[in-house]
Amino acid sequence: MKTPEMIKALAENPELMFEHKKGDWKRVVRISNNGYFYLDIYKNDELIPDSLGGGGFNGNVNAEYEWELVRVPVDFMTAIKAYAEGKKIRVVWGSDERIYGTKDKAYPILDNRGEGISVEEILNGVWFVED
């Protein structure tokens, strides 16, 4: 998504984070607890000290940049609670990735292939809540 769409998404859900990567550079935009936009700039995955404290958008963010949502892993119980609240959840286990969509809570939890959650996914999977 482009920069204006990213800003709108952050304003609607301040818990999200987005990143833009170009070569060795990465920009991460987030909203702080007090509601301010923060921009952290990294080179080779090292935070540039000048960007500490949330550098502003003073000529370092282009409106045409493409941004990607930063997926933050959650524990299994957090994922299941989100599922119960009507959100989709995703699990990555080894080279496999499955999405569990929202269904009536009275039915088994099935993934995008029609299969249920495995014990291996519960114990060893990396879980995400899809927004």
Side-chain angles (χ1 to χ4, degrees):
M1 74 180 50
K2 301 273 189 213
T3 300
E5 297 166 304
M6 176 271 297
I7 291 171
K8 182 177 186 251
L10 273 173
E12 291 172 354
N13 188 348
E15 295 178 10
L16 300 178
M17 290 190 315
F18 289 89
E19 67 182 10
H20 165 76
K21 294 181 181 178
K22 185 173 183 178
D24 297 337
W25 293 88
K26 175 172 72 173
R27 290 169 171 81
V28 176
V29 175
R30 58 190 167 80
I31 294 183
S32 68
N33 290 339
N34 57 3
Y36 289 95
F37 283 84
Y38 278 74
L39 172 68
D40 296 320
I41 301 174
Y42 298 81
K43 183 167 185 183
N44 297 319
D45 291 326
E46 295 286 328
L47 181 64
I48 305 294
D50 290 342
S51 71
L52 287 173
F57 292 21
N58 52 356
N60 50 21
V61 174
N62 187 302
E64 296 300 314
Y65 280 168
E66 287 290 334
W67 296 87
E68 291 187 19
L69 179 66
V70 176
R71 294 183 359 182
V72 179
V74 298
D75 61 74
F76 174 73
M77 287 306 297
T78 300
I80 291 300
K81 288 176 184 174
Y83 180 89
E85 293 170 358
K87 296 182 181 178
K88 289 183 181 179
I89 57 176
R90 177 183 306 265
V91 63
V92 177
W93 175 57
S95 62
D96 199 15
E97 186 168 340
R98 297 175 184 226
I99 298 172
Y100 294 92
T102 56
K103 299 284 183 195
D104 187 321
K105 294 179 202 174
Y107 292 96
I109 300 173
L110 302 176
D111 66 14
N112 50 322
R113 301 174 196 161
E115 299 174 7
I117 297 175
S118 73
V119 172
E120 286 295 324
E121 288 175 321
I122 294 170
L123 296 176
N124 302 312
V126 179
W127 291 89
F128 301 92
V129 175
E130 301 289 301
D131 290 305

